[in-house]
Amino acid sequence: MTDTLADSRISSRMFAESVPVVVEDVRRRPAAERNELLADPGFGRYFSDSMFVARWQAGRGWYDARLTAYAPLQIDPATAALHYAQSIFEGLKAYAQPDGSVATFRPETNAARFARGAKRLAMPPVPEEAFVAAVDALVNADREWVPTGPDQTLYIRPYQLASEPFLGVRPAHEYLFLVIASPAGAYFPRGVHPVSVYLSEDYIRAAPGGTGDVKCAGNYAASLLAQEQAIEAGCDQVVWLDAVEKRYVEEMGGMNLFFVLGEGADAEVVTPELTGTLLPGITRESLITVAREMGHRVTERRFSVDEWRAGVADGTVTETFACGTAAVITPVGEVKARTGDFTVGDGKPGPLTMRLREHLLDIQHGRVADTHGWLHKVA
Ligand code: PLP
Ligand code: COI
């Protein structure tokens, strides 16, 4: 039997001002098929039944917002985003809560970052409330796709691209905003296992004045060769250094980095400061708050490869971990560099890394009190 999304809870939703969300009938995949995919979703392989789409045109603004069936887009071969990468994206997750409801984590923060990214790429920003409304509408429609297994989530991918068919180099006059969703298990197939990292000395991710602090598609395309180099060197991930001196650690692949100095209750946490070349991660910001609440001193400052290596050698640096929405918290074990390899601690996940990881997951999955109002109930 096919049921539809014609549901009063969502059909009354608005996107931007005076733009109602049109809810189309969507054929839902049978529960047995869905449950099979949800049993072992991996990351980014399967997509839920619906998607959200809205359009923007110069002189008209946002229009034609709809929840429709997840399906291939029909685009003109001259679509500007395909040529000049005028395109941005976000990543957030919906979490099944113990009371049977579904919540997203700090979606208004993703909305703000998305709007900032749009401005940097000379695109019209999606109003922040409209971004959150679109995510809510999709998660509500496809709530059966929110998996309930341990640490499983529904990963949500909002994105915006220049859809005008035009080959001149200037900001496009037409855009698409889409939201799709993909059930997710662990980002790294080996689970919470320290990753090995390769310090990129040949390539840089972002330079001052560039686009390193926004989530634009081109940043990720430009990162792939260095990531391939890391794999060739036998490592899992690339670690980026600053573009100017190549001395300071910036971030790892699609994640921010943290260093733990010392041990126990007195351990200090250091994370690279936001110089404009790294992404202001929402997980990063949340962990700074959580670590401070646990009584740790947290410092945002520049952190050099030399300090990392020397700290590991003399025992000052006891743990290193990376964090982001997709991967949550991942310990860093081995570090490979032309200037010499080293291993953080005993190469196993550190105690503070694991405590922070558990605590963040407990907040996100509703297992402890949400004292910051970070959870946004959706369905
Ligand atoms: N750094 C980069 C380059 C990323 O792509 C991401 C992922 O979004 C992050 C850091 C972590 O950001 P967040 O915690 O907001 O997911
Ligand atoms: C995320 O953590 O949401 C990301 O966007 C990282 C990666 C999948 C690009």
Side-chain angles (χ1 to χ4, degrees):
M1 228 177 61
T2 303
D3 42 39
T4 72
L5 296 178
D7 175 327
S8 61
R9 278 174 311 155
I10 48 181
S11 56
S12 60
R13 279 180 195 277
M14 296 296 284
F15 177 58
E17 209 178 311
S18 330
V19 186
V21 178
V22 174
V23 180
E24 292 181 356
D25 280 0
V26 168
R27 188 193 159 274
R28 295 195 192 185
R29 263 165 289 178
E33 193 183 316
R34 186 178 63 236
N35 290 338
E36 202 175 307
L37 301 181
L38 293 185
D40 181 21
F43 182 85
R45 283 188 291 164
Y46 309 119
F47 299 93
S48 67
D49 293 328
S50 313
M51 65 182 185
F52 181 93
V53 188
R55 292 166 191 280
W56 187 95
Q57 206 170 53
R60 187 170 181 188
W62 291 104
Y63 69 101
D64 195 16
R66 58 185 67 232
L67 263 175
T68 184
Y70 182 94
L73 302 172
Q74 205 177 31
I75 50 170
D76 191 287
T79 295
L82 299 180
H83 299 267
Y84 308 127
Q86 199 191 3
S87 171
I88 54 170
F89 73 96
E90 266 302 329
L92 68 162
K93 286 174 169 174
Y95 304 81
Q97 300 295 301
D99 66 0
S101 65
V102 173
T104 50
F105 185 72
R106 309 188 66 186
E108 64 293 339
T109 322
N110 296 90
R113 187 168 66 187
F114 196 65
R116 210 168 42 75
K119 285 181 196 146
R120 177 64 184 82
L121 286 234
M123 299 166 118
V126 172
E128 292 176 30
E129 326 73 68
F131 176 101
V132 175
V135 170
D136 286 2
L138 179 64
V139 176
N140 235 308
D142 284 358
R143 59 173 298 156
E144 292 97 338
W145 283 90
V146 180
T148 51
D151 295 341
Q152 288 187 333
T153 59
L154 183 66
Y155 182 78
I156 303 155
R157 170 56 59 90
Y159 58 112
Q160 182 176 345
L161 57 106
S163 53
E164 184 188 359
F166 179 64
L167 295 184
V169 181
R170 57 141 169 80
H173 294 162
E174 290 167 29
Y175 294 87
L176 277 177
F177 169 61
L178 295 108
V179 189
I180 57 173
S182 172
Y187 183 71
F188 291 112
R190 287 186 296 165
V192 193
H193 189 284
V195 290
S196 53
V197 300
Y198 178 81
L199 303 190
S200 182
E201 284 154 298
D202 294 335
Y203 304 107
I204 54 156
R205 191 187 89 91
T211 55
D213 64 344
V214 297
K215 279 179 82 74
C216 65
N219 287 350
Y220 297 80
S223 76
L224 298 175
L225 191 56
Q227 173 61 25
E228 232 174 39
Q229 206 178 37
I231 305 268
E232 272 161 26
C235 294
D236 301 303
Q237 288 284 316
V238 58
V239 161
W240 301 105
L241 306 179
D242 77 282
V244 179
E245 296 178 69
K246 296 209 179 150
R247 277 180 59 198
Y248 297 100
V249 181
E250 298 222 312
E251 47 188 330
M252 175 186 109
M255 281 155 263
N256 293 112
L257 281 166
F258 280 77
F259 304 89
V260 179
L261 277 53
E263 285 176 68
D266 294 334
E268 182 189 344
V269 179
V270 175
T271 190
E273 70 178 303
L274 301 177
T275 53
T277 53
L278 51 148
L279 194 81
I282 295 161
T283 318
R284 172 190 181 279
E285 193 188 86
S286 308
L287 288 175
I288 290 174
T289 303
V290 165
R292 283 191 179 134
E293 284 171 357
M294 286 178 173
H296 297 284
R297 187 177 132 97
V298 182
T299 315
E300 295 175 71
R301 63 172 170 86
R302 301 195 96 185
F303 192 85
S304 69
V305 176
D306 290 344
E307 183 176 358
W308 194 7
R309 181 186 284 108
V312 162
D314 70 13
T316 324
V317 176
T318 51
E319 304 176 38
T320 302
F321 64 86
C323 71
T325 298
V328 194
I329 291 185
T330 299
V332 174
E334 280 170 64
V335 183
K336 277 200 182 170
R338 294 222 175 96
T339 42
D341 303 347
F342 55 96
T343 303
V344 183
D346 56 6
K348 301 210 176 79
L352 186 54
T353 300
M354 295 311 282
R355 250 184 94 206
L356 287 167
R357 183 185 151 86
E358 285 313 307
H359 192 68
L360 182 65
L361 285 170
D362 281 347
I363 297 174
Q364 291 169 330
H365 289 271
R367 296 189 288 256
V368 296
D370 171 27
T371 54
H372 305 96
W374 283 342
L375 291 182
H376 172 81
K377 281 259 163 114
V378 177

